[in-house]
Amino acid sequence: MLAGTYPIRTRKATVLWPWVVTLSAAAVIGGAGYYVYERDRTAHGELAAVRAQLAGANDRAGSAEERALAADAALAEARGEAERQKSLAVAKSTEADDLSSRLTSLVGKQGEITKSGDEVSLQLVDKVLFRSGEATLTERGMNVLAEVGAALNQFPDKQIWVQGHTDDVPIDQARSPFASNWELSAARALTVVHYLQTEAKVDPHRLAAVAFGEHRPVASKNKAKNRRI
């Protein structure tokens, strides 16, 4: 009986092990496949995220490059404008030097020339142009203004302000047609403006008449310097 039992057990053991091995192998293979699938899916997700990040980085790089190009263009334009303004300032200063030299040669000791930047000032004491207390040009005054007007016409972009000044001696209203030094300074400035326009042919758009009366003196003791155009 024992001799017949062993073969049966042996055959059962022989038959069962391949199934166990097969099932175990199938389980391992199935688990490995799922693991590979999950890794592949994760890798694809990570790759998509990286691609999205790269796309965003490229967009930002493109925007930054566009801003940099725009900034470079704006800087170049600003530099160009600065150079143009510098050239214009130099040209105006040179022009002012030329006008100053020309006026100095014309009026000599009859007036005083000063220059500040592209602004030129010519001061003529009143006796060069007018008799005391009057606003009518003398013949000498007409000659001086004719030459000054000719010089000014060589510089057509210059604006011309004619300013009338007096000293602080009150007007003798019994003997003068002017009520005060305001009226006298204004009448003299207007007389010069009219002469420059009608006789010297200076463009009236360039001219202006301003009256200061006695209120902007340049000397405390020498009143003659305060009576000026």
Side-chain angles (χ1 to χ4, degrees):
M1 187 174 180
L2 292 174
T5 302
Y6 293 121
I8 294 173
R9 290 178 180 176
T10 302
R11 283 197 298 270
K12 286 182 179 181
T14 302
V15 172
L16 290 175
W17 275 110
W19 284 101
V20 172
V21 172
T22 301
L23 290 175
S24 298
V28 170
I29 292 171
Y34 180 77
Y35 175 76
V36 171
Y37 168 77
E38 285 296 319
R39 286 294 303 273
D40 184 65
R41 187 169 66 84
T42 302
H44 276 80
E46 292 175 350
L47 180 60
V50 170
R51 285 174 175 172
Q53 291 175 358
L54 287 175
N58 288 333
D59 290 341
R60 289 192 295 273
S63 298
E65 184 176 1
E66 290 175 359
R67 290 195 297 271
L69 291 174
D72 287 342
L75 180 59
E77 183 178 355
R79 286 175 174 171
E81 180 62 24
E83 288 297 325
R84 287 191 292 272
Q85 292 298 327
K86 182 179 178 180
S87 298
L88 181 61
V90 170
K92 285 184 174 292
S93 180
T94 301
E95 186 179 74
D97 288 337
D98 293 342
L99 176 58
S100 178
S101 298
R102 190 166 301 188
L103 291 176
T104 299
S105 65
L106 289 176
V107 302
K109 295 182 179 181
Q110 300 178 104
E112 180 181 350
I113 310 295
T114 58
K115 176 180 171 291
S116 176
D118 63 346
E119 180 179 313
V120 178
S121 296
L122 163 62
Q123 293 190 59
L124 296 169
V125 293
D126 66 336
K127 65 181 181 180
V128 174
L129 303 176
F130 306 102
R131 295 181 179 87
S132 180
E134 297 183 4
T136 301
L137 286 170
T138 62
E139 184 175 352
R140 178 190 178 192
M142 292 180 189
N143 293 334
V144 171
L145 287 180
E147 293 179 338
V148 169
L152 293 174
N153 282 333
Q154 301 300 312
F155 302 88
D157 66 326
K158 292 289 186 185
Q159 295 296 307
I160 304 163
W161 285 37
V162 180
Q163 303 177 355
H165 299 265
T166 68
D167 58 24
D168 58 356
V169 177
I171 293 290
D172 184 354
Q173 296 182 4
R175 302 175 57 185
S176 174
F178 304 107
S180 70
N181 283 320
W182 281 112
E183 283 77 10
L184 175 59
S185 64
R188 286 181 168 180
L190 285 169
T191 296
V192 173
V193 163
H194 283 306
Y195 186 88
L196 291 175
Q197 176 185 350
T198 58
E199 302 299 329
K201 306 304 179 184
V202 176
D203 184 355
H205 293 93
R206 301 171 58 197
L207 295 167
V210 184
F212 290 103
E214 64 196 66
H215 302 290
R216 292 201 180 183
V218 293
S220 58
K221 296 182 179 179
N222 189 345
K223 294 183 183 295
K225 286 190 174 182
N226 295 331
R227 301 190 298 269
R228 66 196 189 278
I229 292 291

